[in-house]
């Protein structure tokens, strides 16, 4: 398959397989399964991949699977393509033939679409490999439990990307017309963590605060000083904000209580700031508490970091879309305040997540993801397969030197993100939470509190 044949090969493949992929998506849509219960979904994917001669392996927890295409037995996969396969625990309120048959579960984030696109991409690449036209190995990752979130951590724990050099994913975007591809270098989603500060002291009479520790006053200082301090210690461009949502202390107007608590969220658009926030908060909490003689305990629950798209990978996506759809398909994607656990992969290896337009041009009805009525223009499946397949071929070429299938990919000039990545050495580290000493616990991922809607 020569480079010039790629579009023709995709045309021929999708003419034969396009209807099957739409049927596959509708079947998943009618049978949605929430995080870690995607057993039927996993079986359906595995059966179809096996029918194409692939040998998928199910992840240790029993849902989600990985399959390699091309290369020799000993080759490390150069490139991974990831789709999330789980549904949301909400009711499907659409009136369509493929409406959810599982009460209280719905593919309202488009993961059924992502799954069908990755399946189609896998079938296309398997055909290319059989014809000797795949110059490397591609890994398909069908990841469970993105919405929980945390399925990405299971893939990492299973060694799913231990030898992978670059990874790609897409996400449905109902604000983009079908046929459009949104890319962005640098952060494309945000982080959302949960913070809890507990103060304790001896308690006492409000007549004599100097003989005890004035806990409510100290709690008030924590409430005002932490957001203020962060705004002066973290780069204002990071979009980091700490906002309190709950405060509680005391039971009588004339008694200083012996404990109090305040809870809130830290949202953040920047990876550096996200990494720095827990330690800074710990320092500030300790400083305020010691000034007023109370004992602090900080609990910082991690959710996902921001998805930070690496520049060269993002350029590969854009080059691939340009090849198979034309330059007019490309738009600049804005950064979203939603979260996506694809970020965990990008803490370890370079890659890029791009947006796939799913809106029917000129449509009156506006959809958003995570809405019970969410649906897509199914022509996006065809578009997604084209861009994913071309991206994989472009990236393999990038890893393996010249290839007749490889489009020209010019690495952009060094960007701020690149510089920061180099300083951080962010590839190779996986910051999946943990516990720090001295009264602060750091946990994650945060379950459920921050809906993952990139
Ligand atoms: Zn999603
Ligand atoms: Zn979602």
């Amino acid at each position: 398959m020569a480079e010039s044949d790629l579009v023709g090969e995709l045309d021929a493949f999708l003419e034969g397989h396009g209807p099957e992929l739409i049927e596959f998506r509708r079947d998943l849509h009618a049978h949605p399964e929430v995080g870690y219960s995607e057993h039927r979904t996993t079986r359906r994917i595995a059966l179809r991949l096996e029918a194409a001669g692939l040998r998928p392996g199910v992840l240790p927890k029993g849902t989600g699977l990985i399959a390699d295409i091309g290369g020799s037995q000993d080759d490390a996969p150069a490139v991974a393509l990831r789709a999330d396969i789980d549904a949301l625990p909400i009711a499907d309120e659409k009136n369509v033939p493929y409406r959810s048959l599982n009460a209280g579960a719905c593919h309202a984030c488009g993961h059924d679409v992502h799954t069908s696109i990755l399946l189609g991409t896998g079938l296309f690449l398997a055909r290319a490999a059989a014809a000797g036209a795949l110059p490397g190995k591609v890994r398909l990752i069908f990841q469970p439990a993105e919405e929980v979130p945390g399925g990405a951590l299971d893939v990492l724990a299973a060694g799913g990307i231990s030898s992978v050099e670059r990874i790609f994913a897409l996400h449905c975007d109902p604000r983009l017309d079908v046929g459009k591809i949104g890319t962005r270098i640098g952060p494309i989603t945000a982080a959302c963590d949960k913070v809890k500060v507990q103060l304790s002291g001896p308690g006492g009479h409000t007549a004599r605060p100097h003989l005890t520790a004035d806990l409510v006053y100290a709690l008030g200082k924590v409430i005002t000083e932490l957001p203020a301090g962060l705004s002066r210690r973290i780069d204002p461009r990071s979009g980091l904000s700490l906002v309190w949502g709950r405060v509680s202390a005391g039971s009588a107007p004339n008694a200083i209580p012996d404990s109090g608590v305040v809870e809130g969220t830290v949202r953040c658009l920047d990876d550096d700031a996200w990494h720095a926030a827990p330690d800074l908060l710990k320092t500030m909490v300790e400083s305020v508490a010691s000034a007023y003689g109370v004992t602090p305990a900080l609990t910082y629950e991690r959710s996902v970091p921001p998805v930070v798209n690496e520049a060269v990978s993002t350029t590969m996506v854009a080059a691939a879309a340009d090849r198979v759809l034309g330059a007019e398909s490309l738009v600049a994607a804005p950064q979203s305040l939603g979260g996506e656990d694809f970020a965990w992969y990008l803490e370890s290896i370079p890659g890029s997540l791009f947006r796939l337009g799913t809106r029917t041009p000129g449509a009156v009805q506006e959809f958003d993801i995570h809405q019970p009525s969410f649906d897509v223009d199914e022509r996006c499946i065809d578009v997604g397969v084209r861009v994913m397949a071309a991206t994989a071929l472009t990236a393999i070429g990038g890893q393996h030197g010249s290839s007749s299938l490889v489009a020209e990919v010019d690495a952009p000039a060094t960007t701020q993100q690149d510089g920061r990545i180099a300083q951080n050495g962010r590839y190779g580290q996986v910051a999946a939470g943990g516990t720090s000493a001295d009264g602060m616990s750091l946990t994650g991922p945060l379950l459920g509190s921050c809906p993952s809607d990139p």
Side-chain angles (χ1 to χ4, degrees):
M1 182 164 51
E3 178 182 351
S4 58
D5 289 342
L6 177 57
V7 172
E9 291 285 337
L10 283 165
D11 285 344
F13 171 80
L14 286 163
E15 194 170 337
H17 292 271
E20 177 196 351
L21 295 176
I22 289 176
E23 272 316 302
F24 195 88
R25 180 259 164 166
R26 292 184 175 195
D27 176 73
L28 295 187
H29 200 90
H31 302 90
E33 295 170 306
V34 299
Y36 296 121
S37 66
E38 310 97 329
H39 295 283
R40 180 184 182 279
T41 306
T42 298
R43 264 199 318 277
R44 291 267 339 209
I45 301 165
L47 283 172
R48 187 62 188 91
L49 293 175
E50 284 164 2
L54 300 177
R55 300 174 63 186
V58 175
L59 290 167
K61 288 184 182 172
T63 65
L65 59 163
I66 289 175
D68 287 344
I69 305 170
S72 71
Q73 194 83 20
D74 302 326
D75 282 351
V79 174
L81 308 175
R82 172 273 210 174
D84 36 15
I85 67 172
D86 57 320
L88 281 160
I90 63 176
D92 188 344
E93 294 180 4
K94 292 186 298 298
N95 186 16
V96 293
Y98 47 91
R99 177 180 176 160
S100 171
L101 299 171
N102 296 348
C106 179
H107 268 298
C109 203
H111 298 184
D112 52 340
V113 174
H114 306 169
T115 302
S116 299
I117 288 171
L118 187 58
L119 175 67
T121 305
L123 298 180
F124 176 79
L125 293 176
R127 201 159 85 160
L134 193 66
K137 188 181 271 191
V138 176
R139 174 161 291 178
L140 310 178
I141 298 174
F142 293 91
Q143 181 209 299
E146 192 282 327
E147 299 285 359
V148 173
L153 296 174
D154 296 314
V155 175
L156 292 171
I161 61 161
S162 55
S163 57
V164 173
E165 294 176 43
R166 209 174 280 280
I167 187 165
F168 298 92
L170 57 77
H171 203 291
C172 289
D173 187 342
R175 287 175 292 275
L176 270 186
D177 282 351
V178 65
K180 298 289 185 191
I181 299 297
T183 63
R184 181 184 175 89
I185 293 172
I188 191 167
T189 65
C192 169
D193 300 337
K194 198 162 89 172
V195 177
K196 179 179 182 180
V197 179
Q198 238 165 336
L199 299 183
S200 53
H205 202 294
T206 54
R208 290 176 287 281
H210 58 297
L211 297 182
T212 176
D214 191 347
L215 189 127
V216 173
Y217 192 88
L219 196 58
K221 281 291 184 187
V222 165
I223 290 168
T224 55
E225 285 304 312
L226 264 54
L230 281 176
S231 76
R232 289 299 172 272
R233 298 289 302 278
I234 297 258
D235 187 335
R237 293 170 299 179
S238 68
L240 183 142
S241 77
L242 164 60
V243 178
W244 304 114
R246 185 179 92 85
V247 59
S248 170
S251 58
N254 60 351
I256 294 173
D258 61 3
S259 69
V261 65
V262 59
E263 292 181 271
T265 58
V266 171
R267 287 171 195 271
C268 186
L269 304 174
D270 177 82
D271 197 56
D272 280 351
W274 183 79
H275 279 285
D279 282 344
L280 264 177
L281 281 174
K282 176 174 178 288
T283 303
M284 286 188 271
V285 165
E286 286 172 348
S287 164
V288 172
S290 79
Y292 297 97
V294 293
T295 304
L298 171 66
T299 306
Y300 194 102
E301 285 185 64
R302 282 288 202 209
S303 180
V304 293
V307 170
V308 182
N309 281 339
E310 184 253 357
V312 173
S313 304
T314 307
T315 308
M316 287 173 169
V317 173
D322 187 0
R323 285 180 72 197
V324 295
L325 301 178
E328 67 281 2
S329 68
L330 283 161
V331 299
Q335 186 170 19
S336 158
L337 273 174
E340 231 288 356
D341 84 352
F342 186 67
W344 290 120
Y345 302 104
L346 300 192
E347 291 281 298
S348 301
I349 56 172
S352 192
L353 176 139
F354 62 93
R355 301 199 185 285
L356 177 75
T358 63
R359 180 174 63 189
T360 302
V364 179
Q365 188 176 10
E366 292 277 337
F367 291 118
D368 200 358
I369 51 176
H370 288 216
Q371 275 180 343
S373 58
F374 174 73
D375 207 349
V376 302
D377 184 321
E378 288 173 322
R379 288 176 291 178
C380 71
I381 295 174
D382 177 294
V383 174
V385 170
R386 289 173 192 272
V387 178
M388 270 299 204
T391 297
L393 292 168
T394 302
I396 286 181
Q399 305 296 148
H400 290 261
S402 66
S403 158
S404 63
L405 286 163
V406 178
E408 282 290 310
V409 175
D410 297 321
T414 303
T415 63
Q416 188 190 347
Q417 285 79 18
D418 287 330
R420 189 187 58 204
I421 287 163
Q423 286 161 22
N424 277 0
R426 78 190 301 264
Y427 299 121
Q429 62 174 323
V430 178
T435 304
S436 95
D438 307 330
M440 179 173 79
S441 60
L442 180 61
T443 60
L446 171 62
L447 300 184
S449 297
C450 296
S452 176
D453 59 342

